[in-house]
Amino acid sequence: MGNKQVTFKEEQLEEYQDCTFFTRKEILRLHRRFRELAPNLIPLDYTNSPDITLPPCLITSMPELKENPFRQRIVETFSEDGKGNLSFNDFMDMFSILSEMVPLELKMIYAFKIYDFNKDGFLCEKDVEETVARLTGKELRLEERRLVAQRIMEEADLDGDGKLSLLDFKNMIWKAPDFISLFHIRI
Amino acid sequence: MSDMTEPATITRPLISSKRHKSMRKNSRRIYSPYQDENGPSDDEDKDGERVDSNDPEEMFQNIQLQKEIIANIRTKPWPIRRKLKVLKQAREIVLKFEGRLTRTRGYQAAGADLLKKISRVLYNIVVLFIPWEMRIKKIESHFGSGVASYFIFLRWLFGINIVLTILTGAFIVLPELLAGASFGTIRSKTIPKEHLSSAQDLDTIWSLGGYLQYSVLFYGYYGNVRKIGSAGYRLPLAYFLVGMAVFAYSFITLLRKMAKNSRMSLAGASDENFTFCWRVFCAWDYLIGNPEAAESKGAAIINSIREAIVEEQEKKKDTSLAVLISLRILANILVLLSLAGSIYIIYFVVDRSQKLEQEKPELTLWEKNEVSVVVSLITMIAPSAFELVAQLEMYHPRTSLRFQLARVLVLYLGNLYSLIIALLDKVNSMSSAIPAAPGNVSSTSYLATISQPTEDNMSTIVPDITERQNSTLTMTLLDFNNSVSTIKSTASYGQAMRMQSLLNQTVVYEYTTRSQQDPCWETYVGQEMLKLSIIDMIFTVASILLIDFIRGLVVRYLSDCCCWDLESKFPEYGEFKIAENVLHLIYNQGMIWMGAFFSPCLPAFNVLKLISLMYLRSWAVLTCNVPHQQVFRASRSNNFYLAMLLFMLFLCMLPTIFAIVRYRPSQYCGPFSGQEKIYDIISETFANDFPLWFSKVMSYVTSPVVVLPALLLLFMLIYYLQSIARSLKVTNSQLRLQLQTERTDDKKKVFQLAAARLQAPEGADKKTEQESDITSMESSARSTSPTRPNGSVVNFESPVRHGNSIRTITQSASRADVSRAAGVAWSPSAPVRQKHKAEHVPNRHSGYLGGSGSSCRSKSYHHMAYNPSARYAEHIHSDPLFRKTHRPMHKEPGVIMAQSYAGHRAHTTRYVIVNEHEARKKMRSTVRLPRHYRLADEPAEIVELYPRNVKRYIPRTPHRSHQPHLSEEEEEEEDPKSSTKKGSIRQSQRPRSLSDLHQTARFYIGDTVDSQVSMEQGLYGDEEDDDQDEDWANDSSNLCSQTNIPESTHRYVEPHVKSKSKQKVEPSLTESDSASLASSSDQQNSSTDQYIQIIHNKEKYLKPGTKPTKKKSKNSVKLNVSASNDLVYSNV
């Protein structure tokens, strides 16, 4: 697609490569994917970096996100307004963070944000219950979910304040064997 | 910390926006010095000037800093817009100032840039060539990371095999083809006449005989000429070295990969139990993008959570233990039996084929291939049988999976081993048969030199010879051999027909001669391995097509016309069994390693095999498989696969090495023909091709004198490394223990605090009196303070101020008490406290002057307060540059203020400040960042870049992680300083936050007193030890109070702290402030209460006193800040 018309300027690509974990090919592919979501909204030419955002419903319809129980939260986390409207930059940022090369540290921060449903900077029991609910659908009863949330608090809440801070969360994830391999999306 | 005063429910966006701003500010600060606006009056401006002063060192450092930022920007948890902005700014700076550097530096920088660019381009290119990326991604999105891990593993194996192929191809096959004797010129490269007719038959080719047997595919084809071609390529040597290199390379890559993997999986020795957490937070595979996979993953997650719940609720007892045990025993017996059976069958088959070969001249297709077919059949069927058996055992799925894997691995190994042992056995009998043939040795040289051209001549001579043989029968065995061979070669002419009688006699020798002429056991082993590999591939393809594809088709299309649901009941769709498939790959690779020495083209064949497997498998998986029900953990299994592969490699290497060492190479074929042992080639090369001294050296080196000590050394090294690893492990566990105790301490403290609160009324009483009178003083102070414009140090004499300061001190002290209730005896006498503080304040200097009486007496948090100053002093002391440049003595008070209010806070926050303070200092001293930003109009935007710098420049502080605080803290710290320095002029410009100014003011008084104390550098040094201790203490306290948050996480913590601290503070607070009350609702416990409290303080005190205009601002903090500023000024 970059053959006839230039999508990005060279320096833009350089900048994107500095800011994300993508190669130029991947950046171009991302742009293509982004454009596929709304072909008539998104211009092919991004040299002047237009500030167009796509609504969350479009983004979450991507096959990569479609099945993800946290898709709404993911999109919200990476959007600038917190409502899930993503510009191309945000879009790229999202997949960059979720890509393979990202250090665990960074992933943990964003995972924490994603699981923090009420955005208060902590994972409280409500957040955890919500997480479990999204994971399990309607399979688990409310008491079961609550139990799980309580257990989680017992396990990971180091300072005993009844909610998980980012630090608690990191401490827990740090020891998880496969978080880093599961918390990524290939695009 | 401006959001501190907001309700605890502060939302993240708000914070983040703040961070955003502060970041921008920060970046601005970094390049601001270069905007020419420095005023000489200002300290920071001087800083800026300094940077501007073309000092190449500084500039270089600054540029380095910027580059660091550029390099690491992608790992920042910022929105991308911010990243881009910062990046742009950093780039600008780099661009702008790089030119100013000296030329060499410029070149260096340009070179580095170029290098970076090139590496990026290279990386882009390399990525382009990673095969099957999209395919794997697609699979990943459909089936999750488990299935994908199989394909990634396959791809990795493919990479290894490519390298092996290149190795063998470039160093053995190609030279042989190009420069070696061509086909048909040498006996070992010639198809025997008797086989010539059938050489092109399909079944001959199928069994790798005929032309294939006499080709570069196998060992036997390679010539034993020491040097070939005009360049004198030493083919035999190369053959040997490459054979070894194949193993060496495999080992090295494997080990490296494993090391990398284990580095990545940090789980290591964690015995901590996060069952539920992991099952919830690490459950979802974000790769999944396919409804079916999502569904099954969801089901798996539900199962695992349910399981955990059940396990949690009751460690359930086994109902019928006896039955279970007997079942398991039975299962194991069955497995063992089938293992033994499979091994026996293989051995039997090899034996039978050997016999058949000897007895029957013509073998059927089945007979030729039965070995490989049987082996492949076993490898296919047995795992399913094991799986059936495993159902008997009723293990937990994960355990049973492990059992299954272990059994299959044993089976595969058993297969390979029994095969190779049988083969070697055969080789043994072959080579023992050769010496049995009389005359064998003597004829060697002659036979070996026979070449095709001469054969024609010989055949003409033959009649004579044979006639003579006929008549006399006294010929030598040599002649006999000769005649036999010539008979064979001339058999087509019919001349041999006339010599029936001779033939009858020679029939006895037929076998001998055949084995003599065609005795290449290496070729034979190679053939078998290649055959095995081929058949294995055919079976794999067949099983994919039959078991997966046909089954899929049947299930898909016949389910309508069947009485039960095919899709969910019996045949179902095939599952992709990751574990078995991976094991199969490993097995396959094992075959390659085993045979590679005898059949140099085996790796090449394997490459083809892997490619086709890749396509076929991925196609089959996508079309007719459903995701595995069991959750097979991908990353953990990664190293597991590799470990198995390593095991396989080792075990496969053994037979080859054994054969090389133990057996004599074939006499008439292969690169080592004529040698006693294969490895003789090395010593021969040393003897012939290296100078004499070298072989001498080698003989020394290989003598026991050297080898034994070397071995010993190796053992010692291993032991040493192992003990280091052990001690590290111990340290690790100790640290964890420490963490745990800290944690329990923390909890204990909390409880004690609660207890203390019950007692609080008593304590509060005492305090109240004390505080009440202070408050009155304070109120007066407040009224005056804002108007006080100036920062002269001497001012503290004014009684009002004095009272103010004292009040705050006491307050802080009392608060400290509360927070400390756990550890410290509740000493409520306020006056005493006060005094203590007062004395403590002067002590601060004396503290680092060496006599740290107060520090001993006061609790750790007091110490902390000293810390920074001590540090600071130390810095000054150690770094003259720094001292000279930016911290003239009169500024000392500012620093101390920072410390002092640090002292008021809870451990955590305090600590942060300390740290940062020091960090900052250091940074300044080294980096010399301009500090203009203080003057900048957007006050809140400082810091985020800072953490990084700090990190870099203060390797020794264990607290780097706290840097996120910087923005606010820094400002806090700066404020007092700048205010003292600049006086009222600046004040209006800097509405910057910060809270604790109030306190700082208080302490300031004490400090100013102290400021007179001359700073004696030597004495500072004394404090260092103390300092270190404190560091440690700080560290631990941080741990427990959770403040050592890596950058950016900070914001989460803050609200947390806030909420916690509020209520605790309450009881102790006698003064009731609306703000504090509001926030004090929840009763939680932590050690961090003081932090908040301070803020409240500030708020309380400041609000009333300050300018109304500022009050309008929504952010109460700001207001406080400005107020506090005022206070400070007035104080000063």
Side-chain angles (χ1 to χ4, degrees):
Chain A
M1 89 209 159
N3 295 339
K4 292 162 230 148
Q5 194 178 347
V6 185
T7 307
F8 296 108
K9 279 179 291 195
E10 212 36 53
E11 54 202 273
Q12 273 178 314
L13 282 175
E14 285 290 311
E15 273 172 18
Y16 284 147
Q17 286 183 69
D18 270 333
C19 287
T20 66
F21 291 84
F22 290 129
T23 61
R24 55 184 295 141
K25 182 183 157 202
E26 284 168 319
I27 290 168
L28 291 174
R29 190 166 68 224
L30 268 178
H31 178 262
R32 199 172 56 223
R33 291 296 303 273
F34 191 61
R35 195 156 170 268
E36 275 166 11
L37 293 175
N40 33 17
L41 259 181
I42 308 295
L44 187 56
D45 179 16
Y46 245 73
T47 45
N48 51 355
S49 32
D51 199 9
I52 305 169
T53 58
L54 291 186
C57 55
L58 271 181
I59 307 278
T60 50
S61 68
M62 293 178 70
E64 281 82 2
L65 290 173
K66 207 173 57 208
E67 297 300 330
N68 197 313
F70 307 108
R71 54 186 175 274
Q72 193 61 34
R73 281 297 305 148
I74 295 176
V75 177
E76 282 171 20
T77 305
F78 286 95
S79 67
E80 220 159 341
D81 56 1
K83 294 196 182 65
N85 297 314
L86 294 188
S87 67
F88 175 65
N89 282 357
D90 299 327
F91 182 79
M92 199 167 52
D93 193 32
M94 174 169 78
F95 283 110
S96 166
I97 298 294
L98 289 168
S99 72
E100 244 177 324
M101 310 287 295
V102 183
L104 181 61
E105 189 78 3
L106 198 56
K107 288 201 174 214
M108 290 195 289
I109 292 168
Y110 278 95
F112 185 82
K113 284 187 195 176
I114 286 170
Y115 293 131
D116 182 13
F117 284 88
N118 54 13
K119 306 180 191 170
D120 64 349
F122 292 95
L123 299 186
C124 49
E125 287 197 19
K126 283 265 177 299
D127 290 327
V128 179
E129 277 172 37
E130 181 66 28
T131 308
V132 177
R134 298 233 177 163
L135 272 177
T136 57
K138 297 202 166 57
E139 286 293 321
L140 289 188
R141 279 172 290 126
L142 188 63
E143 306 91 73
E144 284 176 312
R145 277 189 299 221
R146 201 154 281 164
L147 181 79
V148 171
Q150 281 164 3
R151 290 281 148 203
I152 284 175
M153 288 304 159
E154 275 174 35
E155 281 173 6
D157 182 21
L158 285 185
D159 51 8
D161 60 353
K163 47 195 181 180
L164 303 187
S165 64
L166 178 58
L167 205 68
D168 293 326
F169 186 73
K170 278 187 179 178
N171 178 46
M172 181 263 295
I173 294 290
W174 196 254
K175 286 160 187 153
D178 44 10
F179 172 77
I180 191 148
S181 68
L182 292 180
F183 191 74
H184 74 88
I185 294 179
R186 290 194 182 216
I187 186 151
Chain B
M1 234 120 297
S2 48
D3 23 55
M4 220 56 199
T5 50
E6 297 200 6
T9 54
I10 193 161
T11 55
R12 211 186 24 220
L14 206 161
I15 304 176
S16 69
S17 72
K18 195 144 285 166
R19 307 188 84 234
H20 183 146
K21 265 201 255 160
S22 68
M23 189 258 359
R24 245 189 287 144
K25 170 73 180 294
N26 187 17
S27 60
R28 175 159 311 148
R29 167 178 54 189
I30 282 165
Y31 65 86
S32 59
Y34 309 111
Q35 300 156 359
D36 318 317
E37 32 128 76
N38 324 323
S41 63
D42 191 350
D43 176 42
E44 304 113 45
D45 287 359
K46 275 179 210 152
D47 268 357
E49 242 176 359
R50 241 187 14 248
V51 179
D52 248 358
S53 68
N54 279 339
D55 178 354
E57 193 53 40
E58 284 170 25
M59 209 184 284
F60 182 65
Q61 270 172 359
N62 190 27
I63 286 176
Q64 288 301 319
L65 185 76
Q66 301 302 325
K67 285 191 175 158
E68 188 89 351
I69 290 167
I70 294 175
N72 289 310
I73 198 151
R74 52 163 79 165
T75 61
K76 303 277 185 196
W78 305 335
I80 191 156
R81 192 186 289 269
R82 195 188 307 173
K83 283 187 198 168
L84 284 173
K85 201 161 189 175
V86 174
L87 179 75
K88 214 169 264 174
Q89 284 164 350
R91 279 223 171 124
E92 271 170 22
I93 295 173
V94 171
L95 215 65
K96 200 164 169 189
F97 292 96
E98 219 153 35
R100 288 214 214 167
L101 293 174
T102 60
R103 188 158 289 185
T104 47
R105 278 258 168 73
Y107 287 145
Q108 275 175 10
D113 262 7
L114 194 66
L115 212 67
K116 197 180 143 205
K117 222 162 241 173
I118 289 176
S119 70
R120 178 170 282 172
V121 167
L122 279 183
Y123 177 68
N124 279 344
I125 291 175
V126 165
V127 165
L128 273 183
F129 283 99
I130 293 179
W132 305 312
E133 192 67 14
M134 292 313 289
R135 188 171 285 264
I136 290 179
K137 278 175 186 172
K138 197 172 169 198
I139 292 169
E140 250 177 354
S141 74
H142 275 252
F143 291 90
S145 57
V147 174
S149 73
Y150 166 83
F151 288 95
I152 291 172
F153 186 68
L154 198 157
R155 187 173 64 182
W156 184 74
L157 278 182
F158 171 75
I160 285 191
N161 279 292
I162 288 269
V163 175
L164 295 188
T165 308
I166 290 172
L167 262 183
T168 52
F171 293 108
I172 306 181
V173 180
L174 269 185
E176 173 65 35
L177 283 179
L178 293 178
S182 54
F183 179 75
T185 51
I186 308 182
R187 182 128 183 207
S188 65
K189 293 187 181 183
T190 311
I191 301 175
K193 285 280 187 307
E194 55 171 4
H195 291 186
L196 199 55
S197 56
S198 66
Q200 294 188 43
D201 291 358
L202 193 61
D203 69 315
T204 317
I205 288 176
W206 173 246
S207 59
L208 302 175
Y211 285 109
L212 287 182
Q213 186 176 351
Y214 297 91
S215 70
V216 283
L217 275 182
F218 299 110
Y219 171 93
Y221 184 76
Y222 294 86
N224 67 341
V225 186
R226 284 199 61 241
K227 293 183 182 181
I228 57 170
S230 51
Y233 189 78
R234 296 183 175 83
L235 187 75
L237 181 66
Y239 195 98
F240 183 77
L241 290 183
V242 166
M244 295 301 104
V246 164
F247 289 119
Y249 172 80
S250 309
F251 257 118
I252 289 169
T253 28
L254 205 51
L255 287 176
R256 274 186 56 198
K257 177 91 175 170
M258 283 181 80
K260 197 173 144 209
N261 268 3
S262 63
R263 239 179 290 134
M264 271 169 64
S265 70
L266 304 147
S270 74
D271 47 330
E272 263 168 287
N273 202 1
F274 290 111
T275 331
F276 277 95
C277 290
W278 290 345
R279 278 174 207 216
V280 171
F281 292 122
C282 309
W284 187 255
D285 191 338
Y286 279 68
L287 286 165
I288 288 179
N290 169 286
E292 272 176 52
E295 200 177 295
S296 69
K297 184 77 187 175
I301 291 170
I302 291 167
N303 276 342
S304 78
I305 291 179
R306 277 245 169 83
E307 206 173 79
I309 292 175
V310 170
E311 273 172 29
E312 189 66 27
Q313 275 164 351
E314 37 156 0
K315 308 290 179 191
K316 60 175 180 181
K317 47 261 169 207
D318 275 333
T319 42
S320 51
L321 205 59
V323 177
L324 200 63
I325 286 179
S326 53
L327 270 179
R328 286 180 184 177
I329 291 176
L330 179 72
N332 276 313
I333 290 176
L334 281 178
V335 169
L336 281 180
L337 278 182
S338 61
L339 279 178
S342 70
I343 288 173
Y344 174 73
I345 289 176
I346 290 172
Y347 200 85
F348 172 78
V349 168
V350 172
D351 204 40
R352 195 172 91 102
S353 75
Q354 196 178 328
K355 273 184 197 134
L356 277 177
E357 219 167 273
Q358 286 177 16
E359 285 159 12
K360 279 206 270 177
E362 281 303 305
L363 297 176
T364 62
L365 185 64
W366 162 251
E367 281 163 344
K368 277 179 185 166
N369 296 305
E370 85 186 332
V371 175
S372 349
V373 170
V374 164
V375 170
S376 297
L377 265 182
I378 288 175
T379 55
M380 276 195 50
I381 293 169
S384 318
F386 289 165
E387 207 166 321
L388 280 182
V389 169
Q391 285 179 359
L392 275 182
E393 297 178 300
M394 296 191 284
Y395 277 122
H396 183 280
R398 194 164 300 142
T399 331
S400 70
L401 183 71
R402 235 166 256 166
F403 267 91
Q404 170 79 355
L405 283 177
R407 283 167 187 165
V408 175
L409 186 66
V410 169
L411 173 84
Y412 284 164
L413 271 178
N415 286 354
L416 274 184
Y417 255 69
S418 52
L419 180 71
I420 197 79
I421 286 173
L423 286 180
L424 289 180
D425 208 33
K426 195 167 165 185
V427 167
N428 229 349
S429 65
M430 262 160 127
S431 48
S432 62
I434 293 168
N440 176 35
V441 180
S442 59
S443 65
T444 315
S445 57
Y446 180 54
L447 285 176
T449 52
I450 283 178
S451 60
Q452 191 72 6
T454 60
E455 217 156 287
D456 285 340
N457 305 334
M458 282 190 57
S459 62
T460 58
I461 309 167
V462 163
D464 310 327
I465 300 172
T466 45
E467 247 135 36
R468 254 195 288 140
Q469 279 174 346
N470 236 348
S471 53
T472 60
L473 283 178
T474 57
M475 15 168 22
T476 62
L477 284 167
L478 173 66
D479 288 338
F480 228 113
N481 282 332
N482 238 338
S483 65
V484 172
S485 63
T486 48
I487 284 166
K488 263 190 231 145
S489 62
T490 57
S492 54
Y493 300 118
Q495 286 175 336
M497 294 302 141
R498 290 187 271 133
M499 304 165 221
Q500 275 303 342
S501 59
L502 175 70
L503 264 177
N504 287 339
Q505 285 173 327
T506 56
V507 156
V508 187
Y509 299 96
E510 185 66 62
Y511 175 66
T512 323
T513 44
R514 200 173 70 160
S515 69
Q516 220 171 19
Q517 193 182 32
D518 185 15
C520 240
W521 61 266
E522 292 96 340
T523 297
Y524 176 71
V525 173
Q527 266 176 313
E528 284 302 315
M529 297 315 291
L530 187 55
K531 230 189 275 178
L532 187 63
S533 195
I534 290 172
I535 302 248
D536 178 75
M537 175 163 176
I538 288 167
F539 270 78
T540 312
V541 171
S543 77
I544 288 173
L545 287 182
L546 279 179
I547 298 185
D548 288 327
F549 187 59
I550 303 289
R551 179 172 159 191
L553 283 183
V554 167
V555 171
R556 178 80 181 75
Y557 292 107
L558 296 187
S559 63
D560 297 336
C561 49
C562 198
C563 44
W564 71 87
D565 187 5
L566 287 176
E567 289 191 18
S568 60
K569 290 281 170 49
F570 167 54
E572 301 177 75
Y573 289 108
E575 274 180 356
F576 185 78
K577 291 172 185 153
I578 304 161
E580 270 108 275
N581 279 303
V582 166
L583 269 181
H584 187 256
L585 278 184
I586 290 173
Y587 165 69
N588 178 51
Q589 191 58 37
M591 272 185 321
I592 303 304
W593 279 323
M594 215 176 239
F597 188 78
F598 305 113
S599 170
C601 290
L602 209 49
F605 171 76
N606 200 33
V607 166
L608 297 180
K609 183 174 173 178
L610 288 177
I611 291 175
S612 52
L613 204 59
M614 182 81 187
Y615 284 106
L616 197 66
R617 264 281 173 231
S618 57
W619 167 78
V621 160
L622 287 174
T623 45
C624 43
N625 275 9
V626 292
H628 203 285
Q629 291 290 333
Q630 257 153 281
V631 198
F632 196 80
R633 305 233 165 220
S635 73
R636 181 172 283 184
S637 56
N638 244 344
N639 243 357
F640 181 62
Y641 298 159
L642 291 176
M644 284 196 295
L645 192 64
L646 189 70
F647 186 57
M648 198 66 165
L649 171 60
F650 178 70
L651 289 181
C652 289
M653 199 179 67
L654 282 185
T656 312
I657 300 283
F658 179 76
I660 288 175
V661 172
R662 173 80 179 69
Y663 291 108
R664 197 158 185 249
S666 320
Q667 292 299 326
Y668 312 116
C669 64
F672 309 109
S673 52
Q675 288 174 7
E676 195 51 36
K677 295 277 188 241
I678 289 177
Y679 56 80
D680 281 347
I681 188 81
I682 294 289
S683 47
E684 195 191 300
T685 309
F686 279 137
N688 298 345
D689 296 335
F690 283 89
L692 197 63
W693 62 266
F694 191 83
S695 60
K696 224 174 213 171
V697 167
M698 280 313 291
S699 72
Y700 281 126
V701 167
T702 51
S703 70
V705 182
V706 177
V707 171
L708 279 183
L711 265 183
L712 262 180
L713 194 72
L714 268 184
F715 277 124
M716 272 155 53
L717 207 68
I718 289 171
Y719 181 77
Y720 173 71
L721 288 179
Q722 206 203 354
S723 57
I724 280 188
R726 216 181 303 139
S727 69
L728 282 181
K729 212 175 256 175
V730 170
T731 323
N732 214 350
S733 65
Q734 270 175 349
L735 280 177
R736 196 178 307 128
L737 206 70
Q738 203 174 312
L739 193 73
Q740 264 165 0
T741 50
E742 290 294 345
R743 187 174 144 192
T744 48
D745 269 5
D746 219 34
K747 278 190 178 164
K748 231 182 264 167
K749 254 182 217 165
V750 165
F751 285 125
Q752 273 163 346
L753 188 79
R757 215 176 276 145
L758 293 178
Q759 301 172 0
E762 317 148 22
D765 290 346
K766 294 172 197 163
K767 246 189 292 170
T768 34
E769 345 155 342
Q770 166 218 342
E771 249 159 25
S772 60
D773 56 357
I774 289 163
T775 358
S776 63
M777 277 160 97
E778 173 223 350
S779 62
S780 63
R782 232 185 276 141
S783 61
T784 49
S785 59
T787 53
R788 258 283 189 28
N790 129 27
S792 96
V793 174
V794 213
N795 244 354
F796 69 97
E797 291 152 8
S798 97
V800 178
R801 223 127 299 310
H802 218 84
N804 191 5
S805 70
I806 289 171
R807 189 203 63 75
T808 53
I809 288 165
T810 55
Q811 202 181 12
S812 66
S814 61
R815 243 153 248 160
D817 272 348
V818 177
S819 72
R820 251 177 337 130
V824 187
W826 174 262
S827 70
S829 84
V832 171
R833 269 290 137 181
Q834 202 173 334
K835 240 198 182 166
H836 167 66
K837 268 285 156 132
E839 147 195 325
H840 163 80
V841 170
N843 260 356
R844 199 170 303 120
H845 273 259
S846 65
Y848 56 74
L849 290 178
S852 57
S854 71
S855 64
C856 311
R857 245 190 311 140
S858 53
K859 277 33 179 201
S860 65
Y861 64 96
H862 288 166
H863 282 265
M864 277 180 230
Y866 304 133
N867 251 347
S869 57
R871 271 287 161 78
Y872 171 54
E874 179 190 322
H875 293 317
I876 292 179
H877 174 50
S878 61
D879 192 348
L881 232 181
F882 154 63
R883 184 172 32 149
K884 165 186 76 196
T885 55
H886 90 105
R887 207 136 288 227
M889 223 58 110
H890 70 272
K891 257 180 262 165
E892 180 68 4
V895 176
I896 285 159
M897 278 190 267
Q899 300 150 212
S900 61
Y901 60 69
H904 292 235
R905 301 180 171 198
H907 303 263
T908 60
T909 43
R910 209 186 300 145
Y911 182 55
V912 170
I913 289 171
V914 168
N915 238 346
E916 179 221 86
H917 176 74
E918 156 208 346
R920 172 157 180 146
K921 225 131 269 165
K922 256 193 187 163
M923 193 180 59
R924 268 205 215 151
S925 63
T926 49
V927 192
R928 228 141 272 140
L929 274 184
R931 299 186 290 147
H932 277 243
Y933 57 93
R934 281 204 253 141
L935 300 179
D937 16 356
E938 291 168 87
E941 299 189 343
I942 300 212
V943 175
E944 291 192 342
L945 293 183
Y946 250 8
R948 199 137 279 275
N949 316 336
V950 173
K951 239 184 198 169
R952 206 143 41 91
Y953 290 104
I954 326 170
R956 74 178 271 230
T957 52
H959 332 295
R960 293 164 217 158
S961 42
H962 306 271
Q963 305 318 340
H965 269 290
L966 271 180
S967 60
E968 297 93 346
E969 311 280 9
E970 203 163 19
E971 275 167 336
E972 288 171 47
E973 176 207 335
E974 292 289 326
D975 278 354
K977 269 184 275 165
S978 57
S979 62
T980 54
K981 275 175 266 153
K982 295 178 218 155
S984 57
I985 306 163
R986 302 250 172 232
Q987 148 186 1
S988 59
Q989 282 173 313
R990 296 190 292 109
R992 194 135 322 147
S993 75
L994 256 293
S995 24
D996 304 66
L997 291 185
H998 192 56
Q999 275 96 342
T1000 61
R1002 281 175 234 147
F1003 271 90
Y1004 190 62
I1005 290 166
D1007 292 335
T1008 49
V1009 176
D1010 298 328
S1011 63
Q1012 275 111 333
V1013 179
S1014 66
M1015 300 166 69
E1016 286 146 44
Q1017 299 178 351
L1019 293 177
Y1020 304 146
D1022 292 350
E1023 188 63 7
E1024 263 189 65
D1025 291 352
D1026 220 351
D1027 204 354
Q1028 302 289 3
D1029 292 350
E1030 245 106 76
D1031 272 355
W1032 189 85
N1034 287 349
D1035 230 342
S1036 53
S1037 70
N1038 281 333
L1039 284 181
C1040 66
S1041 56
Q1042 307 271 319
T1043 33
N1044 57 348
I1045 309 140
E1047 17 178 295
S1048 83
T1049 68
H1050 173 64
R1051 71 175 111 147
Y1052 295 106
V1053 178
E1054 231 144 347
H1056 177 199
V1057 169
K1058 217 193 297 175
S1059 61
K1060 280 182 194 166
S1061 49
K1062 276 167 211 158
Q1063 76 264 38
K1064 248 201 269 171
V1065 176
E1066 273 317 303
S1068 66
L1069 278 182
T1070 50
E1071 339 107 48
S1072 61
D1073 181 291
S1074 62
S1076 65
L1077 279 180
S1079 59
S1080 63
S1081 53
D1082 56 336
Q1083 283 284 13
Q1084 278 171 351
N1085 30 27
S1086 87
S1087 58
T1088 53
D1089 37 346
Q1090 295 208 344
Y1091 189 34
I1092 299 308
Q1093 195 190 358
I1094 286 163
I1095 286 147
H1096 293 310
N1097 261 351
K1098 169 189 48 186
E1099 210 171 354
K1100 286 173 234 163
Y1101 298 125
L1102 298 181
K1103 258 185 199 161
T1106 44
K1107 306 164 188 173
T1109 52
K1110 277 174 185 170
K1111 270 181 187 164
K1112 277 175 201 159
S1113 71
K1114 262 204 302 188
N1115 194 338
S1116 60
V1117 177
K1118 255 185 192 163
L1119 174 147
N1120 293 336
V1121 174
S1122 58
S1124 60
N1125 271 344
D1126 293 348
L1127 268 184
V1128 172
Y1129 302 133
S1130 61
N1131 256 341
V1132 176

